[in-house]
């Protein structure tokens, strides 16, 4: 695994300085930087703050406020299960349990091979389709634990 010291921050500086010249927001910069690195390591976040001429706590605050940003390495495949009330009453817990069993990780964790990240949230805004899970940005509705095999199989 790459140690923190080995992270090359030049891409983050390049992205931030381009956005700063265009007058774009810090959120836009963080989105592009996360796309480049897969997550927002501390060194990268510091470089972005410096380039954007904002205090580090401001950049850190934004990165922790939005669920779409991650300060930890994330898996190649990002799986999010809704555990909100509407999804829960339709069996979301079974879906999450099945995923935790099959992937060998708990909600909030990333597999050691960095292949999968699993998380749960309280609502994905598609309650009528519950249980809902989002895999790499694609919504899957009315998911049963049996559907999980097919969805995971398609990721291989
Ligand atoms: S409660 Fe699951 S999408 Fe709203």
């Amino acid at each position: 695994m790459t140690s923190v010291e080995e992270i090359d921050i030049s891409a983050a500086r390049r992205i931030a300085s381009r956005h700063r010249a265009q007058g774009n927001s810090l959120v836009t910069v963080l989105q592009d930087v996360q796309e480049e690195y897969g997550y927002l390591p501390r060194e990268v976040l510091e470089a972005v703050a410096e380039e954007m001429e904002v205090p580090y706590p401001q950049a850190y605050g934004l990165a922790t406020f939005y669920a779409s940003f991650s300060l930890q390495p994330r898996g190649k495949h990002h799986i999010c299960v809704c555990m909100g009330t509407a999804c829960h009453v339709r069996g979301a817990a079974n879906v999450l349990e099945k995923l935790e069993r099959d992937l060998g990780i708990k909600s909030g964790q990333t597999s050691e091979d960095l292949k999968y990240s699993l998380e749960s949230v309280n609502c994905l805004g598609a309650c009528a389709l519950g249980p809902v899970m989002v895999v790499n940005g694609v919504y899957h509705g009315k998911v049963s634990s049996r559907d999980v095999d097919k969805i995971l199989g398609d990721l291989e």
Side-chain angles (χ1 to χ4, degrees):
M1 188 179 209
T2 310
S3 78
V4 170
E5 287 75 30
E6 290 171 42
I7 292 171
D8 179 3
I9 58 169
S10 60
R13 288 197 180 280
R14 200 179 58 246
I15 292 167
S17 103
R18 174 170 48 85
H19 279 296
R20 189 163 73 101
Q22 294 170 352
N24 293 331
S25 71
L26 186 53
V27 173
T28 308
V29 178
L30 293 180
Q31 282 167 342
D32 275 8
V33 169
Q34 177 162 286
E35 203 173 307
E36 174 76 25
Y37 291 88
Y39 72 112
L40 298 170
R42 183 186 171 100
E43 284 73 5
V44 165
L45 211 46
E46 284 172 346
V48 167
E50 208 178 291
E51 286 295 327
M52 294 298 284
E53 296 182 347
V54 299
Y56 173 74
Q58 188 180 333
Y60 179 82
L62 266 186
T64 51
F65 180 77
Y66 292 103
S68 56
F69 293 131
S70 175
L71 302 182
Q72 303 296 328
R74 286 214 279 205
K76 179 176 171 216
H77 300 298
H78 183 245
I79 301 170
C80 182
V81 179
C82 180
M83 292 297 287
T85 308
C87 289
H88 190 74
V89 297
R90 294 181 185 137
N94 295 333
V95 172
L96 184 60
E97 273 168 29
K98 161 94 173 139
L99 281 162
E100 287 181 335
R101 241 186 354 258
D102 288 2
L103 301 178
I105 51 174
K106 295 283 178 200
S107 173
Q109 294 181 334
T110 295
S111 60
E112 261 180 41
D113 60 3
L114 293 181
K115 199 165 176 193
Y116 301 102
S117 290
L118 179 63
E119 70 173 296
S120 58
V121 294
N122 286 328
C123 185
L124 285 164
C127 311
L129 295 177
V132 178
M133 66 188 271
V134 176
V135 181
N136 298 331
V138 177
Y139 275 68
H140 298 266
K142 302 194 186 235
V143 177
S144 70
S145 51
R146 258 180 284 135
D147 297 325
V148 169
D149 288 330
K150 160 114 184 64
I151 292 168
L152 291 183
D154 288 347
L155 295 178
E156 296 300 328

